[in-house]
Amino acid sequence: MEFNEFFVLGMKLLGAGMAMLGAIGAGVGVGIAASGGVQAMGRNPDAAPIIQTNMILGMAFAEAVAIYALAVALIIIFAT
Amino acid sequence: MSDTKPKKRFHVKTLLILLLVAAGAYAAFWGPSILKPVNPVVVLPGEHTGLSLFGLEITNTMLATLLADVILIVMGFSAWRFAKSGQLVPKGFVNAFEAIVEFLWNSIESSAGAKWGRRIMPVVATIFLLIFVANMVKLVPGFESIGWMEESPHGEGYAAVQLIPGVYTIDKTQPVTLEHAEGEEATHTEGEAPCQACEVVPWFRGSATDLNFTIALAVITVVMTQVYGVWALGPGYFSKFMPFKELVSGNPFGIINFAVGFLEIILEFAKILSFAFRLFGNIFAGALLLSIIGALLPIVIPPVLYIFEVFFGIIQAYVFFLLAVVFISGALVSHSDHGEEHH
């Protein structure tokens, strides 16, 4: 089946946008990590440095999902 | 008298900020058309600056990385000169540098210990400082906006306007669309605009907006992880990837543990991917956001985003550094010892 060139282009952009839906989960995860970290620091301010380090680490891992979504979106737009 | 003095200064600051906002609004809405912000152009790979070294085309991101390198070398040299001078109390710039290094050392020591921290410090701290300096240098005004004026490859661009002889700018209100984008050579003559449908190819672009930079750093980090693992555990380090011992141990889950070894290999490659795309994605998205918001609403909001960019530049450098430290110190511990504790 032959598709219109512009139709394919539009679908590509739509697909890239839909690939970025994966960022929802990462956003929720980072939010939960920040909330937990701030609560812990409020209860125990002495342990703030180590909590902060681990919180940033957890946020970085949660963010990785959004990073993969971004990679897929960029591949859809630029590499196909 | 003394009460009114701080008040006066406060008003001066407020006036200054209001003046700057007014100047921004004037440039964006009422001023001459050359001051208006142009629509952003999204370019993923680094653009060629026209320079080349032994047949290797030098892109603008490479130039920016070189600039960051030079700044870093000067920083390191001044710190070395201070350490050699024998003074004990650092001042000014060296003080800030010492604070950064001390902060790095504390976070390395807390996760790798003093003995191994001393050995992994040079690699991870260099990576942190390079990303940090590259991200800060990228925010200097003139980066990503000053460069050669070239014919746009899509045939769509803006007309060139001469400011002073030899210096041109592009004008948003004069978009040009070329009918024949290819086959038409731009005629270079003295005193004439360098192109018809123009696009600015900047001399410098943030290093981390190029995937080559981030992937190189990620590959270095992951390879150094293996190097430190072998240094700490000897050849036994590779039993993490190919646990043949598990197969012959008679444990019924041995075959599953053997398959987990292959997952570890995949995990190492996933580390490269996530390292590289995390840094690239954050910095590229930040640069894109700045240019798009700058074109849509060029008053008040871009400065706030700019401060955000400074913050993200530091945080991303720190995250890269922290993950490198955690992965390397994870590779220093024997895998099989850890497993035996549980069973």
Side-chain angles (χ1 to χ4, degrees):
Chain A
M1 207 167 156
E2 192 71 15
F3 284 118
N4 189 348
E5 172 191 355
F6 297 106
F7 178 75
V8 172
L9 195 69
M11 279 294 154
K12 226 181 192 177
L13 295 178
L14 194 62
M18 281 167 75
M20 282 312 286
L21 283 179
I24 293 174
V28 172
V30 170
I32 290 174
S35 124
V38 169
Q39 276 182 7
M41 275 187 266
R43 288 198 185 127
N44 190 0
D46 289 339
I50 195 159
I51 292 171
Q52 211 162 25
T53 306
N54 286 323
M55 184 182 84
I56 289 175
L57 205 64
M59 280 169 150
F61 281 124
E63 208 185 35
V65 181
I67 304 296
Y68 296 142
L70 177 74
V72 170
L74 286 181
I75 287 169
I76 290 173
I77 294 179
F78 291 105
T80 55
Chain B
M1 273 303 265
S2 57
D3 285 347
T4 52
K5 220 180 175 184
K7 238 182 183 177
K8 254 185 187 170
R9 271 161 72 200
F10 176 69
H11 278 297
V12 166
K13 276 180 195 165
T14 317
L15 267 176
L16 245 162
I17 291 172
L18 283 178
L19 212 81
L20 284 175
V21 170
Y26 169 76
F29 298 121
W30 300 292
S33 60
I34 50 166
L35 288 179
K36 290 187 177 172
V38 293
N39 293 337
V41 181
V42 183
V43 189
L44 196 55
E47 297 127 302
H48 296 305
T49 50
L51 301 173
S52 65
L53 189 70
F54 307 120
L56 177 76
E57 294 255 25
I58 292 185
T59 61
N60 47 14
T61 47
M62 283 162 76
L63 272 185
T65 314
L66 278 179
L67 188 70
D69 282 341
V70 168
I71 291 172
L72 205 54
I73 288 169
V74 170
M75 276 165 74
F77 187 75
S78 65
W80 172 77
R81 214 181 51 180
F82 171 80
K84 235 189 136 195
S85 72
Q87 289 169 273
L88 286 179
V89 186
K91 272 183 291 183
F93 166 73
V94 184
N95 200 354
F97 200 57
E98 190 185 294
I100 292 175
V101 172
E102 207 176 307
F103 169 71
L104 294 182
W105 170 245
N106 283 338
S107 32
I108 291 173
E109 199 189 12
S110 67
S111 66
K115 183 192 161 202
W116 281 97
R118 207 171 277 277
R119 292 178 185 166
I120 67 177
M121 174 97 175
V123 175
V124 287
T126 307
I127 288 174
F128 173 85
L129 286 172
L130 178 59
I131 298 174
F132 177 68
V133 171
N135 283 352
M136 290 299 110
V137 133
K138 155 185 154 349
L139 293 171
V140 174
F143 252 67
E144 318 193 358
S145 57
I146 298 177
W148 306 118
M149 201 165 260
E150 275 178 14
E151 205 72 45
S152 169
H154 315 294
E156 280 175 34
Y158 300 103
V161 178
Q162 194 166 33
L163 290 180
I164 50 172
V167 180
Y168 294 87
T169 183
I170 52 178
D171 190 347
K172 194 196 177 177
T173 53
Q174 303 176 25
V176 177
T177 309
L178 284 187
E179 294 292 319
H180 318 287
E182 56 229 83
E184 211 168 298
E185 286 287 310
T187 47
H188 284 268
T189 44
E190 284 296 318
E192 205 173 288
C195 53
Q196 280 128 16
C198 303
E199 209 181 60
V200 175
V201 175
W203 286 326
F204 295 110
R205 212 181 84 186
S207 328
T209 58
D210 192 346
L211 259 177
N212 295 318
F213 176 75
T214 58
I215 285 185
L217 286 180
V219 167
I220 289 171
T221 313
V222 172
V223 168
M224 285 316 283
T225 309
Q226 319 307 320
V227 169
Y228 280 111
V230 173
W231 189 0
L233 303 173
Y237 171 74
F238 290 110
S239 68
K240 178 170 125 188
F241 301 119
M242 284 168 230
F244 288 118
K245 247 187 212 167
E246 296 278 356
L247 268 187
V248 295
S249 67
N251 190 337
F253 294 111
I255 196 116
I256 295 177
N257 289 342
F258 187 72
V260 165
F262 285 104
L263 285 184
E264 293 271 359
I265 296 175
I266 295 170
L267 213 63
E268 294 296 312
F269 287 102
K271 269 183 203 168
I272 296 181
L273 197 70
S274 66
F275 259 136
F277 273 96
R278 175 175 299 116
L279 183 57
F280 164 77
N282 276 288
I283 302 303
F284 187 71
L288 204 62
L289 185 74
L290 269 180
S291 61
I292 289 173
I293 295 288
L296 285 178
L297 189 62
I299 47 168
V300 181
I301 299 183
V304 180
L305 286 175
Y306 227 82
I307 297 169
F308 235 66
E309 274 307 292
V310 174
F311 175 69
F312 271 114
I314 299 169
I315 281 289
Q316 285 310 313
Y318 180 59
V319 163
F320 199 108
F321 156 82
L322 196 66
L323 284 178
V325 170
V326 167
F327 286 146
I328 290 178
S329 44
L332 299 176
V333 205
S334 172
H335 215 63
S336 52
D337 290 351
H338 183 71
E340 273 161 21
E341 278 174 11
H342 282 281
H343 297 300

